Amino acid sequence: QVQLGESGGGEVQPGGSLTLSCKVSGMLLSIHIMGWYRQAPGKERQFVTSINTAGNTNYADSVKGRFTIIRDNAENMVYLQMNNLKPEDTAVYYCNTVPAYQNWGQGTQVTVSS
């Protein structure tokens, strides 16, 4: 059974940084495109970023230049480095395949507030 476990969220001030982690179990990470998604209060879940098996990345315009996705196939981990955080980045963040065809994990809350 595939499990996705996100962690690393928290509350930071605007301009701050966080690194999120996603532990993947039950599937071979190296053969999947992986991504991060987020869901803000009252809004639909949206795509944030992805990384393919060759390490090529893609970012939503709203996070380009501020967020970095990293994969570690040996450790079955996917990371999201977030810099220069803005209040509009406040959301629950999830990792999943791209397209998202695995069951969603519990997500990790990121709150950006002064």
Side-chain angles (χ1 to χ4, degrees):
Q1 180 180 359
V2 175
Q3 290 188 321
L4 304 169
E6 301 91 350
S7 62
E11 184 168 355
V12 297
Q13 294 186 339
S17 299
L18 282 174
T19 297
L20 307 183
S21 301
C22 174
K23 176 65 176 177
V24 181
S25 60
M27 73 176 194
L28 187 59
L29 181 64
S30 61
I31 63 172
H32 295 279
I33 302 171
M34 294 300 298
W36 284 92
Y37 304 78
R38 67 186 180 186
Q39 187 168 19
K43 296 187 177 181
E44 292 188 353
R45 188 151 29 205
Q46 63 177 189
F47 169 83
V48 176
T49 178
S50 66
I51 184 166
N52 68 11
T53 57
N56 299 310
T57 56
N58 186 33
Y59 297 92
D61 287 344
S62 58
V63 306
K64 203 170 292 185
R66 301 188 297 121
F67 289 13
T68 303
I69 185 170
I70 298 168
R71 67 189 300 156
D72 184 342
N73 293 332
E75 297 294 328
N76 270 15
M77 296 290 294
V78 184
Y79 302 97
L80 182 64
Q81 293 180 341
M82 306 185 295
N83 297 318
N84 191 21
L85 283 161
K86 303 177 179 181
E88 52 264 41
D89 295 319
T90 295
V92 179
Y93 284 71
Y94 303 86
C95 68
N96 208 320
T97 52
V98 178
Y101 54 80
Q102 299 294 347
N103 292 330
W104 295 97
Q106 80 285 355
T108 187
Q109 175 72 48
V110 172
T111 302
V112 186
S113 172
S114 55

